[in-house]
Amino acid sequence: MSAPTYTKRTSPGKRRSSLLTLVAMVSFAALTTGLLILGVALVPVRAALPGENGKIAFVSTRDSIKDPTTGRLITNEEIYVMHADGTNQTRLTYNESSTATSTAGRDLLPSFLPDGGRLAFTSRRPAPSSPQGGTDEIWVMEAEDRDGVPEGDNLTRLTGDSLATRHNFQSAFSSDGKKIVFTSARDANNEIYVMDVEATNPVRLTNPVRLTNNQLLERFPAFSPDGKQIAFTRIAGNDDIWVMDTDPATDDATNLTNNAALDTFANFSPDGTKIVFSSNRGSPKSEIWVMNADGSDPVRLTNNGVIDESPVFSPDGTKIAFTSTRDGNTPVEIDNKEIWVMNADGSNPVRLTNNSVEDSKPDWGPIYAWSGVLQPINADGSSIFKAGSTVPVKFKLTEESAEITTARATLKVTNLSDAIGGDVLENPVEVIPATGNEFRYDAESEQYIYNWSTKGLDPGTYKLTIDLGDGTAENPDAINHVLVSLR
């Protein structure tokens, strides 16, 4: 691992004395001012998990340009993320179309992994068989830009071959991260497939199993939170919401909506009791509806005479993000899509994006539930370590995040003061520092561990900020900061 760099501060700053659910405030020993990046192995996982509300991902055409030769608009769809209040809108993908006739430049349908730190999405990128377009494939990347270099961090393709001859798209991951469901055209028409996800880096997908097998078109699959069912759209004269078991041996599917309207974009609530969806029943354009997970008691949530579609529940189940064409914001704007949020009962709609291009297809990511920094660092801020010793830095994922064994974390270390706080001297831990820059997951203790060598570091008090990639490190009120000292 490269030597850390540091940002020196002349005063310690205000210390927080309490442990707020996920915050551990601790004194730690001397380390020169700086930034230290630590990581763990990666694997995509995605499901409708409960949790605290994190970032919202969406598709935007704001980066479209005009062809310099023809003057025609080159539509360019890219993946963006923002905070749940619409602030800090950040571009993650840079996959531009080269000409107005090119079908490359498509990055679509982002879906968060249950840790909130990774995104799966559909992308159409150049391939040997079709350099101007390629085919749709499923990719995964970090949910934030850590390195400042354009194009998603740790970008990895999950599907397809070198010739890219069949489309694979619209992915969703099971809550345990072991399965991915997606739509594929590999058998001439759109069918639903499920595959195993192996915890290797880069990710490897194995044992593709076809769940549907007919001449109808099926799309937009979504796992139930318990991973036992998949909701999807089937087109048989019109679009309906269907649900089936994830076990292909059962070969059964149930029509939940079964009417002459177009019903699509199904998304489970985090507790699995509800399904929110888009429908044009009783309206010339689509509106947002919600029903029980068995299809009973459908309730209309929006009624605007405009397009309201692609709804998703927030991780805590209290809100719904969706795409809407209401309230055009320029004189020439017609049916311009923006991202909105509302309460789960349809009340208090709030607009999050506001520009003259289309922002659409949101997905709402969760924030990790975790322990904060574990022993030997004390939560009361009293631990002091001997400078030059090796200190095992640990944390544990808890509650709905507890099953995630392949999370990624970064650690930012800032020197606050040359003073040393606390009155307890911990015995130095004489262990060999970990090589490389990765946390390792210890299955026995269910902890993430990094043996951190403080050799060559100066005494003082430092602030450690653990960034799990879910957006909390950007929040000044986040509960992932600790104070530590070296003597």
Side-chain angles (χ1 to χ4, degrees):
M1 183 169 60
S2 58
T5 57
Y6 302 98
T7 305
K8 183 76 172 180
R9 291 178 56 179
T10 56
S11 61
K14 184 178 180 181
R15 290 183 59 179
R16 298 175 65 183
S17 58
S18 60
L19 177 62
L20 303 176
T21 311
L22 306 180
V23 182
M25 302 307 299
V26 185
S27 339
F28 198 96
L31 172 66
T32 47
T33 36
L35 176 68
L36 176 64
I37 302 298
L38 306 177
V40 297
L42 308 170
V43 63
V45 287
R46 195 267 183 192
L49 288 179
E52 189 177 349
N53 297 340
K55 292 181 178 181
I56 294 175
F58 61 99
V59 178
S60 181
T61 63
R62 64 187 68 183
D63 302 295
S64 300
I65 60 175
K66 286 187 176 181
D67 189 315
T69 302
T70 66
R72 295 173 59 188
L73 183 67
I74 303 174
T75 301
N76 186 31
E77 296 152 310
E78 303 287 1
I79 306 297
Y80 276 71
V81 292
M82 61 183 169
H83 291 161
D85 61 359
T87 60
N88 197 32
Q89 297 178 23
T90 304
R91 181 179 177 180
L92 294 182
T93 59
Y94 289 77
N95 178 30
E96 294 91 349
S97 297
S98 57
T99 67
T101 58
S102 171
T103 58
R106 295 182 55 179
D107 292 314
L108 305 169
L109 299 170
S111 61
F112 273 98
L113 286 50
D115 54 29
R118 300 273 283 166
L119 275 171
F121 64 102
T122 299
S123 184
R124 179 171 293 184
R125 295 168 184 252
S129 60
S130 49
Q132 290 300 314
T135 57
D136 291 329
E137 300 289 0
I138 299 165
W139 295 70
V140 67
M141 65 181 172
E142 298 290 328
E144 67 174 276
D145 182 10
R146 300 176 186 273
D147 59 14
V149 178
E151 194 62 301
D153 294 1
N154 292 299
L155 183 67
T156 304
R157 191 178 76 174
L158 301 187
T159 60
D161 54 35
S162 60
L163 295 179
T165 56
R166 292 290 183 267
H167 293 288
N168 300 286
F169 51 101
Q170 300 169 348
S171 60
F173 288 80
S174 63
S175 59
D176 61 7
K178 296 180 179 179
K179 299 285 185 181
I180 174 176
V181 64
F182 61 100
T183 306
S184 179
R186 64 185 64 190
D187 293 303
N189 63 304
N190 293 355
E191 302 283 1
I192 306 299
Y193 280 75
V194 66
M195 300 177 77
D196 295 330
V197 179
E198 293 190 358
T200 57
N201 191 7
V203 171
R204 185 160 64 95
L205 302 179
T206 59
N207 303 327
V209 176
R210 183 172 178 172
L211 296 183
T212 60
N213 190 357
N214 53 63
Q215 297 304 309
L216 304 174
L217 293 179
E218 284 132 351
R219 56 182 179 170
F220 301 124
F223 273 108
S224 62
D226 62 9
K228 295 181 179 180
Q229 290 187 312
I230 294 171
F232 63 99
T233 300
R234 174 174 284 173
I235 304 174
N238 61 290
D239 293 26
D240 274 314
I241 306 297
W242 291 66
V243 67
M244 61 182 170
D245 293 338
T246 53
D247 181 2
T250 60
D251 193 27
D252 61 342
T254 302
N255 190 337
L256 298 184
T257 53
N258 199 20
N259 61 68
L262 302 179
D263 302 316
T264 189
F265 291 119
N267 179 265
F268 282 96
S269 62
D271 63 6
T273 63
K274 301 285 186 180
I275 293 177
V276 67
F277 63 101
S278 304
S279 178
N280 67 349
R281 62 183 74 181
S283 173
K285 297 185 178 181
S286 63
E287 302 283 358
I288 307 301
W289 289 69
V290 68
M291 61 183 172
N292 293 330
D294 63 1
S296 64
D297 194 24
V299 176
R300 183 173 179 170
L301 299 182
T302 64
N303 189 359
N304 300 285
V306 299
I307 296 174
D308 291 329
E309 64 180 11
S310 59
V312 292
F313 276 101
S314 63
D316 68 1
T318 64
K319 295 183 179 296
I320 294 171
F322 61 101
T323 302
S324 181
T325 61
R326 65 185 79 182
D327 296 342
N329 61 345
T330 70
V332 298
E333 193 175 303
I334 300 175
D335 287 347
N336 186 60
K337 295 179 179 179
E338 303 285 359
I339 307 299
W340 289 67
V341 298
M342 62 183 174
N343 294 334
D345 63 1
S347 64
N348 193 33
V350 176
R351 182 175 182 166
L352 298 186
T353 62
N354 190 353
N355 52 63
S356 59
V357 301
E358 288 198 354
D359 297 320
S360 61
K361 306 297 189 299
D363 192 50
W364 206 323
I367 291 174
Y368 279 106
W370 70 300
S371 62
V373 181
L374 299 174
Q375 291 293 338
I377 303 173
N378 296 322
D380 62 1
S382 63
S383 294
I384 300 176
F385 294 89
K386 181 180 178 181
S389 64
T390 298
V391 178
V393 181
K394 304 177 182 181
F395 68 90
K396 184 175 185 178
L397 299 182
T398 61
E399 300 174 18
E400 63 272 2
S401 302
E403 294 184 354
I404 300 171
T405 62
T406 52
R408 183 175 185 265
T410 61
L411 180 64
K412 178 180 179 181
V413 181
T414 304
N415 179 228
L416 298 180
S417 171
D418 294 335
I420 299 174
D423 55 7
V424 175
L425 180 63
E426 297 282 359
N427 292 326
V429 182
E430 300 299 340
V431 295
I432 300 175
T435 59
N437 64 345
E438 292 187 348
F439 275 102
R440 65 178 176 88
Y441 178 76
D442 181 70
E444 183 175 353
S445 64
E446 299 181 337
Q447 297 176 354
Y448 291 87
I449 302 173
Y450 185 86
N451 293 326
W452 175 39
S453 173
T454 65
K455 184 177 180 180
L457 302 178
D458 296 328
T461 296
Y462 300 82
K463 180 181 180 180
L464 277 66
T465 303
I466 296 181
D467 182 1
L468 296 172
D470 54 10
T472 55
E474 304 166 18
N475 183 351
D477 298 322
I479 47 183
N480 53 358
H481 308 295
V482 298
L483 298 182
V484 295
S485 294
L486 289 176
R487 174 176 295 168

